[in-house]
């Protein structure tokens, strides 16, 4: 049992910091990731429905386009974006995050995200 | 003018040099001499008389104008060039005379002395060379003259040498020159221009003047002898002086006259001919000069001289040789120069000297076509100077057809030339005389300016160009022309680069800040003016690629740096305000947003929305609504707005879409909070007013966003501004904002007192004494607020407004005020539940009836008090017009950026202020209460708004959600 738990923990920590690689979809001139973000240090964290800590000013995934690149890559609504291509996203403005994600010269975006929902699910299952 | 003359001199000198050079290869000796003279010059500086002194020159220049200075410097450069040419020509006229090489001396000069001086140096050099021949005789002179001349031995040397030069001149040089000149003249009439050029140069360097003087002074003496004849050299020095004057005159001419010729500058007069005459006459001229030296003498001559001068012009025309008579005068002129030069006199003093004749306008204009570039540029610079603050001259220039010539020079390859031409055009284009502006347009000056703007990197030239365009843009009929020719260029060349905005921002680096350069200020001023030219102009500006983006970036940069009081910011905000006008009607696809259903289902409109829907789903909707609705429990109506979900964008907004994005609200509110510039405040309030007008999706967003961004208290506080136009713009903005029901409630609760306090009470106007337009605007706002809200009507009564309204209704001299007040009163009376309270305060129905004009109507209706129907109808009409008008007409910003080349900055500002007409939606030109135009608020804003208009539920900014 303990081994199972430790294994679960391991998986969980992996899940908490998940790497997701999204290949942008080209639509005409535009490169599309297929999700939307909310949050940022210039936004009101209290209105973020996804954060547990209502002072968390991080960037969250608010919506994911069905069938879009982000969904295909496994990104989920409510994910908190920790990094984009290695750039920290926990202390950036909303616009900075957006720009970081939408660089036109990058076809691939590597995200480091945490997924609280998953954490909770795991925790629930453990309890 | 005098300056012009001087300029000419140098030129001639050069010519001589060149000639000399060729003729007689420079002798080392001659060089040495040359150098010496230079030194002499410097020493001379100490002495008043020595014109050569660089110092004196400099000072002179300074006294005049910065412009003048420049000219000098430039001129010097030019001289070099010219010299080269001359040399080529020179070969033709060989002389046995041993003349030092002009070029070599120059070179030495250059090294040791400033370029400016170079010219002088050249002259000197020339003189010295010539002098070498004569020197001896001179020495004698010097002795005799010593008193007159500066004590410096150097001076004497100088004199001697110069004289020598002159002599040489007179003897060999003159001949040579003569020959060359005559050729030039004969062969190509155009060449005479050279003479002009010379004179020109002289002019350029006011500083030069002193030098000349030196030359003259020194030269004159020697020259006299020389001039009288080569033989004369031998003459007794003293004698020469007196008698010689005339004989010398000729020399004078060559030296002085040419310079003086500035008048001659007239092409028509064929300077060449003069020259010829002059050259030959050189001797005479010199003679004359001598007299000049003796201060007293010269003056004595003044009157006659003048007369002669006047005649001279024509004489020249008649024949070169006729000159002799004139020569004396010239000589005198030269002497004058000297005199002036002694103290490094200011140009003015020189000008005042009656003996000097400035070239007349026609002559100056003719010089613009002179083949020699320095002449052109100096003529243009002089025109600029003449035109400064002189409408008469501007008109004369126009009538003499000078403007097309100036415009033509804009394409001149030489920076000096197009710069000066542009400077002249800038001054000419400034002022109320629109004919000047039209004249510039009619000769295709606008495209030429734009071409130059594209071509040049010279910041000064760019300032001149954009300043001229700013001036031109103040005249309505030219606005579209400027847009057609220059909009994209101005945007690409100035607005975008200076705004710091980048098409493809490098996200790894900080966004660049705007640079508040003069060029940016001028260009934004020009665009500000043209942006008020109606719907088509607005469309063009909105669709101009990068313009709106760059302006917004600049403003954001200003807010970020807390640097919001400058003129550039004011211009930018005004452009934004104008472009926001009628945006809900004029942008492509606007109708899609206008659907009334928008109010209920705002998201259903527009293509963007569709995209969003496509992407939305997947349970995202719930989260989204959560996201947006969290913490929001507004009143009934608020719901419709608060659930408004801004259209989602898959790409960053750009171009004119930026104008009405709710994000701009924060920008305008920042400006309204921080700026001390009344015009900026008014424009920012006007922008909100424009954006919140109309019934389309975006205005709904804007109205709600203003509330959520806590903008209402900011606006209400500005009702206390001392600036009439600010109060008016804010009042109208509040009216538009109150289309939003929630806003109406808040404004009614918290803004009523401030609105009412701006109303005049009875005959005695409040301290502010607001204009009629403002009072009417406030009344209309109050009307809007109390309409459909008995609660707000109650607030109005509590604010003690009825007394004021009745007073206005009864006693105001303004029918518009009467009418507006009457509407408010009728609306108030229409709330039956309030009548009791009103009656208790002693009011009765009659007080709420419209007076005079209104009375009959009420009578017709029978039940004035009941006029609910009637009145509301009227109101509605008014309301509609209001809604439409709410937007506030795009202010006609007749801001002339008047840039007078010679004007000091202060003057410029003064001019601007003077000229500036209100940029408010209404023409505020004369009504501006803030005559001081300081744009500084006199009242201190309390940091915490006394009014608490913040909608508690809306305190939090709406979360932003971006698709990526």
């Amino acid at each position: 049992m303990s081994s199972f738990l430790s294994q679960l923990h391991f998986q969980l920590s992996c899940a908490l910091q998940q790497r997701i690689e999204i290949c942008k979809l080209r639509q005409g001139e535009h490169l599309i990731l297929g999700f939307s973000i909310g949050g940022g240090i210039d936004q009101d964290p209290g209105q973020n429905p996804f954060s547990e800590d209502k002072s968390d000013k991080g960037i969250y995934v608010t919506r994911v386009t069905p069938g879009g690149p982000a969904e295909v890559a496994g990104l989920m609504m409510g994910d908190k974006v920790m990094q984009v291509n290695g750039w920290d996203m926990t202390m950036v403005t909303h616009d900075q995050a957006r720009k970081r994600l939408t660089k036109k010269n990058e076809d691939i975006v590597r995200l480091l995200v945490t997924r609280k929902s998953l954490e909770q699910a795991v925790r629930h299952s453990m309890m | 003018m005098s300056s012009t003359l001087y300029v000419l001199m140098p030129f001639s000198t050069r010519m001589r040099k060149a000639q000399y050079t060729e003729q007689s290869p420079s002798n080392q000796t001659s060089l040495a001499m040359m150098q010496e003279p230079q030194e002499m010059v410097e020493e001379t500086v100490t002495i008043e008389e020595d014109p050569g002194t660089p110092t004196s020159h400099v000072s002179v220049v300074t006294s005049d104008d910065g412009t003048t200075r420049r000219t000098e410097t430039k001129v010097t450069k030019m001289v070099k060039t010219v010299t080269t040419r001359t040399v080529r020509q020179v070969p033709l006229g060989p002389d046995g005379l041993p003349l030092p090489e002009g070029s070599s001396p120059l070179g030495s000069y250059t090294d040791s002395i400033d370029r400016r001086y170079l010219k002088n140096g050249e002259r000197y050099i020339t003189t010295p060379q010539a002098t070498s021949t004569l020197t001896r005789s001179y020495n004698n002179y010097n002795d005799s003259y010593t008193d007159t001349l500066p004590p410096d031995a150097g001076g004497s040397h100088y004199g001697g040498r110069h004289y020598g030069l002159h002599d040489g001149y007179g003897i060999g040089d003159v001949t040579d020159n003569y020959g060359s000149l005559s050729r030039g003249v004969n062969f190509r009439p155009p060449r005479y221009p050279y003479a002009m050029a010379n004179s020109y140069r002289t002019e350029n360097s006011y500083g030069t003047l002193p030098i000349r003087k030196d030359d003259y002074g020194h030269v004159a003496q020697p020259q006299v002898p020389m001039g009288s004849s080569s033989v004369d050299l031998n003459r007794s020095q003293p004698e020469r002086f007196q008698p010689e004057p005339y004989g010398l005159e000729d020399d004078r001419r060559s030296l002085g006259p040419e310079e003086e010729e500035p008048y001659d500058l007239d092409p028509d007069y064929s300077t060449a001919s003069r020259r010829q005459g002059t050259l030959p006459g050189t001797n005479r001229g010199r003679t004359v000069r001598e007299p000049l030296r003796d201060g007293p003498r010269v003056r004595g001559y003044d009157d006659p001289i003048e007369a002669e001068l006047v005649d001279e012009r024509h004489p020249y025309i008649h024949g070169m040789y006729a000159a002799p008579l004139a020569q004396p005068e010239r000589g005198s002129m030269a002497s004058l120069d000297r005199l002036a030069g002694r103290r490094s006199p200011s140009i003015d003093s020189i000008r005042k000297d009656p003996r000097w004749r400035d070239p007349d306008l026609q002559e100056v204009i003719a010089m613009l076509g002179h083949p020699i570039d320095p002449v052109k540029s100096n003529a243009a610079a002089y025109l600029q100077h003449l035109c400064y603050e002189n409408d008469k001259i501007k008109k004369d220039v126009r009538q003499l057809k000078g403007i097309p010539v100036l415009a033509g020079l804009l394409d001149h390859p030489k920076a000096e030339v197009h710069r000066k031409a542009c400077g002249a055009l800038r001054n000419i284009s400034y002022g109320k005389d629109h004919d000047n502006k039209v004249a510039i347009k009619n000769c295709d000056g606008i495209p030429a300016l734009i071409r130059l703007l594209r071509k040049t990197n010279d910041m000064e030239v760019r300032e001149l160009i954009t300043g001229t365009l700013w001036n031109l843009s103040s005249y309505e009929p030219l606005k579209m022309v400027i847009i057609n020719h220059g909009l994209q260029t101005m945007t690409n060349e100035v607005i975008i680069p200076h705004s710091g905005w980048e098409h493809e921002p490098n996200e790894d680096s900080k966004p660049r800040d705007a640079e508040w350069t003069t060029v940016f200020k001028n260009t934004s001023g020009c665009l500000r003016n043209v942006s008020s030219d109606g719907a088509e102009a607005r469309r063009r500006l909105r669709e101009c690629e990068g313009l709106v983006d760059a302006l917004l970036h600049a403003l954001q940069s200003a807010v970020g740096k807390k640097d919001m009081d400058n003129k550039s910011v004011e211009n930018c905000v005004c452009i934004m305000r104008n472009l926001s006008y009628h945006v809900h009607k004029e942008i492509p696809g606007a109708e899609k947003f206008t659907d009334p259903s928008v109010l209920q289902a705002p998201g259903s409109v527009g293509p963007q929305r569709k995209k969003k829907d496509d992407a939305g789903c997947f349970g995202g909707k719930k989260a989204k609504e959560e996201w947006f609705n969290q913490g929001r429990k507004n009143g009934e109506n608020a719901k419709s707005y608060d659930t408004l979900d801004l259209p989602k964008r898959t790409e960053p907004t750009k171009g004119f879409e930026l104008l009405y994005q709710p994000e701009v609200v924060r920008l305008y509110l920042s400006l309204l909070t921080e700026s001390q510039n009344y015009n900026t405040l008014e424009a920012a309030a006007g922008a909100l007013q424009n954006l919140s007008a109309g019934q389309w999706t975006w205005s709904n967003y804007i109205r709600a966003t203003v509330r959520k961004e806590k903008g209402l208290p900011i606006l209400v506080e500005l009702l206390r501004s001392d600036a009439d136009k600010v109060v008016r713009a804010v009042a109208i903005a509040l009216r538009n904002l109150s289309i939003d029901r929630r806003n109406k409630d808040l404004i009614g609760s918290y803004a009523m007192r401030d609105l009412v306090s701006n109303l005049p009470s009875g005959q005695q106007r409040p301290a502010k004494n607001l204009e009629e337009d403002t009072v009417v605007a406030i009344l209309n706002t109050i009307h809007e607020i109390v309409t459909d809200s008995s609660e707000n009507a109650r607030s109005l009564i509590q604010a003690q407004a009825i007394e004021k309204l009745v007073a206005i209704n009864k006693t105001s001299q303004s029918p518009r005020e009467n009418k507006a007040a009457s509407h408010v009163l009728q609306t108030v009376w229409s709330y039956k539940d309030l009548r009791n309270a009103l009656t208790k305060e002693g009011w009765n129905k009659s007080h709420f009836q419209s007076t005079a004009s209104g009375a009959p109507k009420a009578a017709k209706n029978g039940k004035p008090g009941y006029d609910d129907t009637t009145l509301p109808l009227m109101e509605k009409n008014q309301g509609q017009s209001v809604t439409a008008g709410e937007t506030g007409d795009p202010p006609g910003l007749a801001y002339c950026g008047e840039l007078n080349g010679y004007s000091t900055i202060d003057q410029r500002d003064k001019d601007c202020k003077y000229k500036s007409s209100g940029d408010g939606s209404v023409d505020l030109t004369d009504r501006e209460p803030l005559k001081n135009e300081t744009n500084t608020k006199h009242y201190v804003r309390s940091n915490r708004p006394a009014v608490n208009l913040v909608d508690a539920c809306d305190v939090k900014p709406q979360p932003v959600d971006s698709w990526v």
Side-chain angles (χ1 to χ4, degrees):
Chain A
M1 187 60 185
S2 64
S3 69
F4 170 74
L5 268 183
S6 65
Q7 190 183 355
L8 189 69
H9 265 290
F10 176 74
Q11 288 175 345
L12 192 152
S13 63
C14 284
L16 287 181
Q17 293 273 318
Q18 185 172 344
R19 292 182 190 284
I20 292 179
E21 186 171 302
I22 306 175
C23 193
K24 292 181 183 175
L25 179 64
R26 184 171 290 279
Q27 279 193 355
E29 293 179 357
H30 310 298
L31 289 173
I32 292 177
L33 282 164
F35 68 98
S36 70
I37 56 168
I41 56 176
D42 57 338
Q43 303 293 312
D44 176 16
Q47 298 182 60
N48 182 344
F50 302 107
S51 61
E52 199 162 66
D53 173 2
K54 287 305 176 194
S55 64
D56 180 357
K57 297 186 175 181
I59 302 294
Y60 280 76
V61 176
T62 56
R63 285 170 289 182
V64 179
T65 308
E71 190 194 40
V72 171
L75 193 67
M76 295 179 67
M77 187 175 61
D79 285 357
K80 178 180 179 184
V81 181
M82 306 300 288
Q83 292 180 3
V84 174
N85 290 338
W87 295 92
D88 174 69
M89 286 293 117
T90 63
M91 288 293 289
V92 296
T93 65
H94 183 88
D95 212 44
Q96 284 169 337
R98 184 183 58 72
K99 284 181 177 169
R100 191 60 73 188
L101 287 162
T102 55
K103 293 204 169 186
K104 290 191 176 175
N105 55 358
E106 294 174 348
D107 285 334
I108 293 179
V109 169
R110 293 181 182 83
L111 302 179
L112 184 62
V113 303
T114 65
R115 191 166 295 165
K116 214 164 294 168
S117 56
L118 199 135
E119 179 186 5
Q120 286 169 346
V122 172
R123 204 173 280 158
H124 278 296
S125 71
M126 286 170 59
M127 313 234 335
Chain B
M1 296 309 291
S2 61
S3 62
T4 310
L5 294 174
Y6 289 118
V7 177
L8 290 171
M9 285 299 286
F11 193 89
S12 61
T13 310
R14 293 176 196 167
M15 295 287 290
R16 296 172 186 172
K17 280 186 182 180
Q19 294 175 352
Y20 286 105
T21 307
E22 289 184 2
Q23 295 172 352
S24 62
S26 63
N27 301 337
Q28 295 176 352
T29 317
S30 64
L31 291 175
M33 294 182 61
M34 301 281 295
Q35 293 176 355
E36 292 181 25
Q38 294 175 358
E39 293 177 358
M40 295 294 291
V41 178
E42 289 179 345
E43 292 177 2
T44 309
V45 174
T46 313
I47 303 169
E48 294 177 358
E49 290 186 0
D50 291 2
T53 309
T55 314
S56 64
H57 289 295
V58 176
S59 62
V60 174
V61 175
T62 309
S63 64
D64 279 4
D65 293 352
T67 313
T68 309
R69 259 196 177 179
R70 295 173 191 167
T71 309
E72 287 187 6
T73 311
K74 295 171 182 178
V75 174
T76 309
K77 295 175 184 175
M78 296 299 290
V79 176
K80 288 180 181 178
T81 313
V82 176
T83 307
T84 311
R85 292 181 185 172
T86 310
V87 175
R88 292 176 188 170
Q89 297 175 352
V90 177
L92 297 174
D95 290 351
L97 298 178
L99 299 175
E101 288 184 0
S103 63
S104 61
L106 291 175
S108 62
Y109 259 83
T110 312
D111 298 343
S112 58
I113 306 176
D114 287 352
R115 293 178 184 176
R116 294 180 189 166
Y117 295 97
L118 290 179
K119 287 185 177 181
N120 299 332
E122 291 179 353
R123 295 179 184 175
Y124 286 122
I125 296 168
T126 315
T127 315
Q129 297 174 352
T131 311
S132 62
T133 319
L134 299 177
T135 308
R136 299 170 188 172
S137 60
Y138 263 122
N139 293 338
N140 298 333
Y141 281 135
N142 293 335
D143 297 344
S144 61
Y145 285 109
T146 307
D147 298 346
T148 313
L149 297 177
D152 291 8
S156 63
H157 288 293
Y158 230 24
R161 292 180 183 176
H162 284 295
Y163 292 109
L165 290 178
H166 291 296
D167 293 344
Y169 243 10
I171 302 170
D173 291 347
V174 174
T175 320
D176 296 342
N177 292 335
Y178 200 78
S180 63
L181 291 176
S182 59
R183 291 178 207 156
V185 176
N186 296 335
F187 293 9
R188 326 165 185 170
R191 279 198 182 176
Y192 74 80
Y194 281 114
M196 301 287 291
N198 295 336
S199 57
Y200 213 37
R201 290 174 185 175
T202 314
E203 278 192 1
N204 291 345
S205 49
Y206 287 103
T208 315
L209 291 177
I211 297 172
R212 279 187 180 175
K213 295 173 181 178
D214 292 352
D215 290 346
Y216 282 29
H218 303 293
V219 176
Q221 298 172 354
Q223 288 178 357
V224 174
M226 295 299 290
S228 52
S229 67
S230 60
V231 179
D232 290 348
L233 296 177
N234 299 329
R235 290 182 187 177
S236 64
Q237 304 148 2
E239 293 176 356
R240 295 173 185 173
F241 290 106
Q242 299 171 352
E244 292 170 357
Y246 292 89
L248 295 180
E249 288 172 341
D250 291 348
D251 287 347
R252 246 299 176 176
R253 272 215 153 193
S254 58
L255 297 179
E258 290 178 1
E259 301 166 4
E260 297 167 357
E261 312 226 342
Y263 333 39
D264 301 354
L265 295 183
D266 300 2
D268 295 344
Y269 289 126
S270 71
T271 316
S273 59
R274 290 184 192 173
R275 256 217 157 192
Q276 297 175 349
T278 309
L279 292 178
T282 307
N283 298 328
R284 305 169 193 167
R286 290 178 186 176
T287 314
V288 177
R289 289 177 190 174
E290 291 183 1
L292 295 177
R293 277 191 179 182
D294 307 16
R297 281 188 189 176
V298 177
R299 306 217 165 163
Y301 285 110
D302 292 347
D303 295 347
I305 292 172
E306 272 200 328
E308 290 181 1
L309 289 177
V310 176
D311 295 346
E312 283 184 16
R313 286 188 186 175
H314 304 288
Y316 284 166
I317 300 173
H318 297 307
M320 324 159 165
Y321 296 93
L325 296 177
Q327 292 174 359
E329 298 170 351
R330 294 179 183 177
S332 63
M333 308 255 312
S335 62
L336 292 176
D337 289 359
R338 292 179 200 166
L339 294 176
R342 287 182 189 173
R343 328 161 181 131
S344 64
S346 69
I347 298 172
D348 288 347
S349 66
I350 295 176
R351 286 190 189 134
K352 287 171 188 169
D353 194 312
R355 280 167 294 192
W356 282 101
R357 174 174 100 59
D358 290 339
D360 67 29
L361 203 52
Q362 195 165 8
E363 291 166 337
V364 177
I365 292 172
M367 289 172 68
L368 292 172
H370 196 282
I372 294 185
D373 294 335
V375 179
K376 290 178 184 146
S377 65
N378 282 300
Y382 188 51
L383 272 182
Q384 176 182 17
H385 174 67
L386 290 176
C387 288
Y388 177 58
E389 291 191 337
N390 190 330
D391 292 339
K392 168 78 164 57
I393 295 213
K394 291 175 191 173
K395 186 181 170 196
D396 290 346
V397 170
R398 184 184 78 234
Q399 290 174 340
L400 291 171
K401 308 251 188 291
I403 291 178
V405 185
L406 285 169
L409 290 180
L410 292 175
D411 288 321
H412 196 283
K414 289 228 171 88
E416 191 51 34
V417 177
H418 63 235
R419 175 185 300 133
K420 298 301 183 201
C422 206
L425 286 173
R426 184 183 63 181
N427 281 1
I428 290 170
S429 64
Y430 173 81
K432 291 173 180 168
D433 188 349
H434 295 313
D435 290 343
N436 294 332
K437 302 181 175 102
V438 172
I440 293 175
K441 177 232 152 191
N442 285 344
C443 61
D444 285 334
I446 291 174
L449 286 165
I450 298 297
R451 271 198 303 278
L452 186 54
L453 179 62
R454 253 185 256 123
K455 207 164 49 184
T456 184
N457 287 318
D458 182 329
M459 205 41 85
E460 187 194 336
V461 175
R462 288 176 154 237
E463 288 176 8
L464 292 171
I465 295 168
T466 53
T468 308
L469 288 170
W470 192 2
N471 287 343
L472 293 175
S473 69
S474 65
Y475 184 49
E476 299 293 331
L478 299 187
K479 291 180 178 179
M480 217 33 149
V481 181
I482 292 173
I483 290 174
N484 287 336
H485 288 103
L487 176 57
Q488 195 67 56
T489 299
M490 284 189 282
T491 303
N492 293 343
E493 294 286 335
V494 180
I495 297 293
I496 291 177
H498 291 255
S499 71
W501 178 75
E502 297 166 77
H503 275 284
E504 294 288 339
N506 177 5
E507 281 131 38
D508 295 338
S509 62
K510 269 189 176 176
R512 291 197 298 129
D513 277 330
E515 311 159 26
W516 308 127
T517 57
T518 303
V519 176
F520 185 82
K521 181 183 72 180
N522 292 348
T523 309
S524 57
C526 174
L527 293 178
R528 170 183 175 177
N529 280 348
V530 301
S531 68
S532 67
D533 196 39
E536 176 63 10
R538 289 192 294 272
R539 185 184 69 77
R540 296 287 297 277
L541 263 69
R542 287 183 194 127
E543 293 176 2
C544 176
E545 190 178 341
L547 178 59
V548 174
D549 312 66
L551 292 174
L552 266 180
H553 183 93
L555 287 175
Q556 265 148 3
S557 163
V559 169
K561 287 189 296 185
K562 303 261 181 199
D563 179 13
M564 290 173 271
D565 296 332
N566 62 59
K567 188 78 174 176
S568 294
V569 169
E570 177 187 320
N571 289 338
C572 289
V573 185
C574 286
I575 298 169
M576 291 293 289
R577 185 245 325 257
N578 285 351
L579 297 187
S580 300
Y581 178 68
H582 276 178
V583 75
H584 59 290
K585 295 177 184 169
E586 294 174 359
I587 67 148
E591 60 284 351
K592 288 184 228 162
F593 294 92
T594 330
D595 188 332
S597 68
V598 166
L599 289 177
Q600 284 72 39
S604 63
V605 194
Q608 293 172 330
R609 178 64 187 187
K610 273 180 190 167
K611 277 185 190 169
K612 172 213 154 189
D613 286 343
D614 292 344
C617 324
F618 191 62
K621 191 164 186 179
K622 190 180 174 189
K624 174 187 60 193
E625 284 186 356
E626 242 183 317
W627 177 271
F628 283 107
N629 292 329
Q630 200 170 30
R632 229 173 283 140
K633 306 132 200 166
N634 299 327
E636 343 86 67
N637 295 313
K639 189 185 174 188
S640 64
Y641 303 108
D642 293 337
T643 50
L644 279 188
D645 189 4
L646 301 184
K648 296 303 177 290
R649 306 182 282 271
T650 55
E651 56 187 296
T653 317
K654 63 177 182 181
F656 61 78
E657 291 176 339
L658 291 168
L659 288 170
Y660 47 82
Q661 297 305 309
E663 287 88 332
V664 299
V665 168
R666 196 176 298 182
L667 174 65
Y668 292 132
L669 291 177
S670 297
L671 291 167
L672 288 170
T673 309
E674 301 285 343
S675 181
Q676 303 288 305
N677 179 327
Y678 284 134
N679 293 325
T680 301
L681 290 174
E682 185 217 1
L688 288 178
Q689 163 194 339
N690 287 345
L691 293 174
S692 57
Q695 296 288 342
W696 75 323
T697 316
W698 293 103
S699 60
N700 291 334
Y701 298 150
I702 296 289
R703 287 187 286 260
T705 307
V706 170
R707 179 176 68 248
K708 295 177 201 304
E709 295 282 348
K710 307 179 203 179
L712 295 178
I714 295 170
L715 287 167
V716 170
E717 195 181 346
L718 283 171
L719 286 173
R720 301 171 194 164
S721 169
D722 291 329
D724 193 291
K725 60 187 174 185
V726 174
V727 173
R728 178 167 53 237
V730 166
I732 302 174
L734 286 173
R735 182 177 54 188
N736 287 352
L737 288 167
S738 66
I739 294 173
D740 177 303
R741 182 70 205 195
R742 185 85 185 109
N743 285 348
K744 179 183 280 193
D745 293 343
L746 288 166
I747 294 170
S749 305
Y750 298 108
M752 199 61 88
R753 279 181 194 282
D754 284 302
L755 285 169
V756 171
S757 69
N758 276 310
L759 293 176
S761 48
Q763 286 94 346
Q764 79 187 52
R765 295 236 162 197
K768 275 198 201 171
N769 193 21
L770 298 175
E771 297 171 25
E772 177 192 51
D773 281 337
T774 308
V775 172
V776 170
I778 291 169
L779 289 170
N780 285 339
T781 302
I782 291 175
H783 182 260
E784 176 70 28
I785 294 169
V786 299
T787 300
D788 295 333
S789 172
S790 65
E791 220 19 69
N792 286 345
R794 196 181 299 278
S795 301
L796 183 68
I797 296 169
Q798 286 165 356
Q800 311 295 319
I802 303 301
E803 184 178 353
K804 283 186 171 183
L805 290 168
V806 169
I808 295 170
N809 189 25
K810 293 254 198 298
T811 65
S812 171
Q813 301 299 310
S814 157
R816 294 175 58 215
E817 289 182 9
N818 291 334
K819 193 173 163 191
S822 158
H823 287 154
V824 176
L825 288 171
Q826 290 173 15
T827 305
V828 171
W829 190 251
S830 70
Y831 296 110
K832 294 177 187 170
D833 51 333
L834 297 179
R835 287 188 194 163
N836 259 344
L838 290 171
T839 313
K840 278 181 190 166
E841 290 187 24
W843 305 108
N844 62 53
K845 195 168 78 177
S846 65
H847 291 114
F848 295 85
Q849 292 171 343
S850 50
T851 58
S853 60
K857 261 189 185 176
K860 276 183 193 170
N861 294 328
K863 304 175 183 175
Y866 257 118
D867 281 355
D868 289 7
T869 40
T870 318
L871 296 176
L873 282 178
M874 292 190 53
E875 289 177 2
K876 273 175 191 167
N877 292 337
Q878 199 185 26
Q880 284 183 356
S881 65
V882 171
T883 312
E886 295 162 349
T887 333
D889 307 305
L893 315 173
Y895 262 93
C896 292
E898 337 263 350
L899 311 171
N900 286 313
Y902 281 51
S903 67
T904 63
I905 291 175
D906 290 337
Q907 284 174 309
R908 236 186 249 166
D909 287 350
K910 191 181 63 189
D911 290 342
C912 286
K913 287 173 184 171
Y914 163 67
K915 279 254 173 178
S916 67
S917 67
D919 47 339
S921 42
V922 186
D923 186 345
L924 306 177
T925 312
D926 297 321
R927 309 175 198 163
E928 294 272 4
L930 314 174
K931 291 279 161 114
N932 58 14
E933 302 248 19
T934 52
N935 291 336
T936 307
K937 291 184 178 178
H938 295 298
Y939 70 95
V940 179
R941 273 187 183 157
S942 55
N943 286 334
R944 284 302 103 203
V947 195
N948 180 9
L949 281 182
V950 180
D951 188 344
C953 304
D954 296 334
V955 172
K956 296 175 185 175
Q958 190 156 0
V960 179
D961 193 39
S962 310
W963 279 100
V964 291

